[in-house]
Amino acid sequence: MYQEPYHFPLERYINAERFERVKHFATGKQTPLLIIDLDHIEQKYRELTSCMPFADVFYAMKANPMNEILLLLNRLGSNFDVASRYELDQLIGLGIDPSRVSFGNTIKKREDIAYFYQKGVQYFATDSEYDLINIAETAPQAKVFFRILTEGTGADWPLSRKFGAHSDLIYHLILRSVELGLTPWGISFHVGSQQRDIGQWDDAIARVKYLFDAVAEEGIELHMINIGGGFPANYVDPTFTLQEYAAEIGRYLREDFGDDLPQIIIEPGRALVADAGVLVSEVILLSQKTRSNLYRWLFLDVGKFGGLIETINESIKYPIYFDKEGISQEIIIAGPTCDSMDILYEHYKYHMPDTIQPGDRVFIFTTGAYTQSYSSINFNGFPPLSAVTLIKKDRGVI
Ligand SMILES: Cc1ncc(COP(=O)(O)O)c(C=O)c1O
């Protein structure tokens, strides 16, 4: 049987200089450890704003709420999409002006709406009448935007069903908002996270156009389209580039709305921060279930409860690199807890070199988004995932 050497396309995920920096920094440090490269986030932000010059960025801070990231994005001019009063308080604590915040969660307590409004937040998302009434009564001058339902088809991490309402209901909510004395400001949607099918924006924008026109017939002018997140990060399965997404989405917008676009908002999370993260982990154990088993099980010191929850259903496939040479072997990868759902990849087969042993380090790329903030506090006694940020030595920090 021909045995192939282990190969991993390292340069697709990290350049050699940055990888050396990460490895050097991690040497001697306890794992698991998430290392975030702030320079990379800055580069992504500049890329995104230059290929979507028509859009205001509201960073979805749920993707990674580390203070250093928020301060960096604030310095670069980003606004913030916020899901709770705790996130708002964090921004205020960092000196970030609440007028640059959007309360993007459609599920919110009445007192939290009042709290956001008192602090100076202007933008509020909604998709239900109860919520609309709460906004009208506690945030009367708010810029309200209405979230339409999308199917999430084509997304690795769909957000369907829970958020948004059908256009028909949204139309009635817009009219109702006027009766309640509010100013309906715009329409939002989210096509699902890590959306691979750019055409999903086309469908959603067409629905937004229909709503703009329908309410215009009732004398209501809308001013804003929030086209959400869903832009890609660099996981195992390739996607189109950010530039290709931007060009297509820009074309869809102009086809429906002409050159004089309304205010366009984007709420990127994953696309800004995911690629900046390298999770350094350690092999705890290798095993097999019988002596003749085809696949070996590899147990890492990080798993579903330590930050890799998006491996549920093997939805997000992180690039996992073993920094050794050897013959390539297919493996099943699992985490360290005494919980049987803590299996990362069983159906999709990852590879490792056959020289790997317990104690070896493993590098998991594209882990800057939806990892540390998702990790459990104390499950099985394991602490939450530790994370640090790096910027280049020549800029004075590490
Ligand atoms: C309202 C809202 N906006 C933006 C995002 C960010 O999406 P993504 O990480 O795909 O860019 C999310 C993610 O859950 C969201 O719920």
Side-chain angles (χ1 to χ4, degrees):
M1 190 172 70
Y2 175 68
Q3 295 184 313
E4 287 183 27
Y6 172 70
H7 173 73
F8 179 89
L10 188 61
E11 60 296 341
R12 216 192 109 188
Y13 301 106
I14 196 165
N15 69 39
E17 184 249 317
R18 189 176 146 226
F19 185 53
E20 282 311 312
R21 214 149 52 89
V22 164
K23 264 204 311 196
H24 177 73
F25 178 79
T27 303
K29 300 215 168 49
Q30 199 177 336
T31 63
L33 177 65
L34 175 62
I35 301 176
I36 301 283
D37 185 335
L38 290 179
D39 294 315
H40 199 272
I41 296 178
E42 176 161 352
Q43 186 193 321
K44 276 281 166 186
Y45 182 86
R46 293 190 190 287
E47 217 177 294
L48 191 66
T49 48
S50 73
C51 67
M52 289 203 200
F54 50 80
D56 296 332
V57 179
F58 282 69
Y59 170 56
M61 65 180 281
K62 60 175 79 70
N64 190 325
M66 288 173 77
N67 286 342
E68 297 91 330
I69 296 178
L70 300 174
L71 288 169
L72 168 70
L73 291 174
N74 183 49
R75 178 170 64 74
L76 295 174
S78 179
N79 305 283
F80 297 89
D81 165 54
V82 160
S84 71
R85 67 188 291 160
Y86 308 104
E87 285 189 343
L88 177 63
D89 286 345
Q90 186 185 350
L91 292 178
I92 292 172
L94 292 173
I96 295 172
D97 185 347
S99 69
R100 291 172 49 202
V101 166
S102 158
F103 197 173
N105 194 346
T106 55
I107 301 155
K108 45 197 169 322
K109 291 183 176 171
R110 183 184 167 87
E111 59 264 34
D112 290 346
I113 299 171
Y115 183 76
F116 270 66
Y117 191 62
Q118 282 156 18
K119 293 289 177 193
V121 174
Q122 297 178 47
Y123 294 101
F124 290 76
T126 193
D127 63 4
S128 68
E129 186 164 2
Y130 276 119
D131 189 53
L132 197 58
I133 292 168
N134 284 338
I135 295 172
E137 289 176 0
T138 61
Q141 304 292 318
K143 290 179 171 169
V144 185
F145 59 96
F146 297 80
R147 181 156 170 179
I148 54 171
L149 193 64
T150 63
E151 289 74 31
T153 318
D156 284 1
W157 194 257
L159 306 167
S160 52
R161 294 193 2 262
K162 184 171 172 185
F163 306 103
H166 282 287
S167 305
D168 180 43
L169 176 59
I170 292 295
Y171 171 80
H172 287 284
L173 288 177
I174 295 172
L175 301 194
R176 181 86 178 101
S177 73
V178 175
E179 282 169 22
L180 290 166
L182 285 166
T183 308
W185 188 251
I187 309 285
S188 73
F189 60 82
H190 194 303
V191 292
S193 199
Q194 188 72 4
Q195 175 56 262
R196 294 172 179 283
D197 175 8
I198 311 178
Q200 295 296 320
W201 275 273
D202 195 10
D203 294 352
I205 290 166
R207 275 187 257 168
V208 173
K209 170 68 176 158
Y210 158 78
L211 278 165
F212 265 61
D213 290 347
V215 299
E217 285 183 18
E218 302 299 321
I220 300 170
E221 192 191 350
L222 296 176
H223 306 278
M224 180 272 268
I225 313 173
N226 177 337
I227 64 173
F231 309 106
N234 192 14
Y235 298 107
V236 167
D237 294 328
T239 61
F240 291 106
T241 62
L242 204 50
Q243 285 72 10
E244 286 163 321
Y245 276 69
E248 285 298 280
I249 292 168
R251 187 167 65 78
Y252 303 146
L253 284 167
R254 277 183 286 275
E255 271 172 14
D256 283 327
F257 288 90
D259 285 334
D260 192 16
L261 295 178
Q263 180 190 12
I264 305 294
I265 282 179
I266 53 174
E267 294 175 345
R270 200 182 291 282
L272 278 181
V273 295
D275 296 358
V278 181
L279 205 171
V280 186
S281 171
E282 186 182 299
V283 176
I284 297 181
L285 192 69
L286 280 156
S287 74
Q288 49 200 59
K289 299 297 168 191
T290 65
R291 288 181 65 191
S292 59
N293 228 174
L294 205 51
Y295 301 114
R296 296 177 86 190
W297 285 66
L298 176 95
F299 296 93
L300 297 178
D301 62 1
V302 67
K304 277 207 160 60
F305 302 96
L308 301 180
I309 194 77
E310 289 197 325
T311 57
I312 282 180
N313 298 327
E314 307 190 7
S315 300
I316 296 293
K317 294 186 186 67
Y318 295 102
I320 301 181
Y321 176 54
F322 300 87
D323 196 17
K324 264 188 162 178
E325 292 180 358
I327 299 299
S328 190
Q329 271 192 345
E330 288 189 327
I331 44 170
I332 295 168
I333 306 180
T337 61
C338 282
D339 189 302
S340 58
M341 77 164 282
D342 194 8
I343 297 172
L344 304 182
Y345 303 105
E346 190 170 8
H347 303 290
Y348 185 87
K349 290 293 179 310
Y350 277 77
H351 292 250
M352 70 167 192
D354 61 352
T355 47
I356 286 292
Q357 292 175 350
D360 283 341
R361 288 212 155 174
V362 177
F363 299 88
I364 311 179
F365 295 113
T366 325
T367 39
Y370 306 111
T371 48
Q372 192 206 18
S373 56
Y374 254 146
S375 68
S376 71
I377 300 297
N378 200 23
F379 185 57
N380 280 208
F382 288 100
L385 180 59
S386 300
V388 291
T389 51
L390 296 187
I391 61 171
K392 274 219 176 91
K393 234 197 194 100
D394 55 14
R395 291 178 38 208
V397 172
I398 285 165

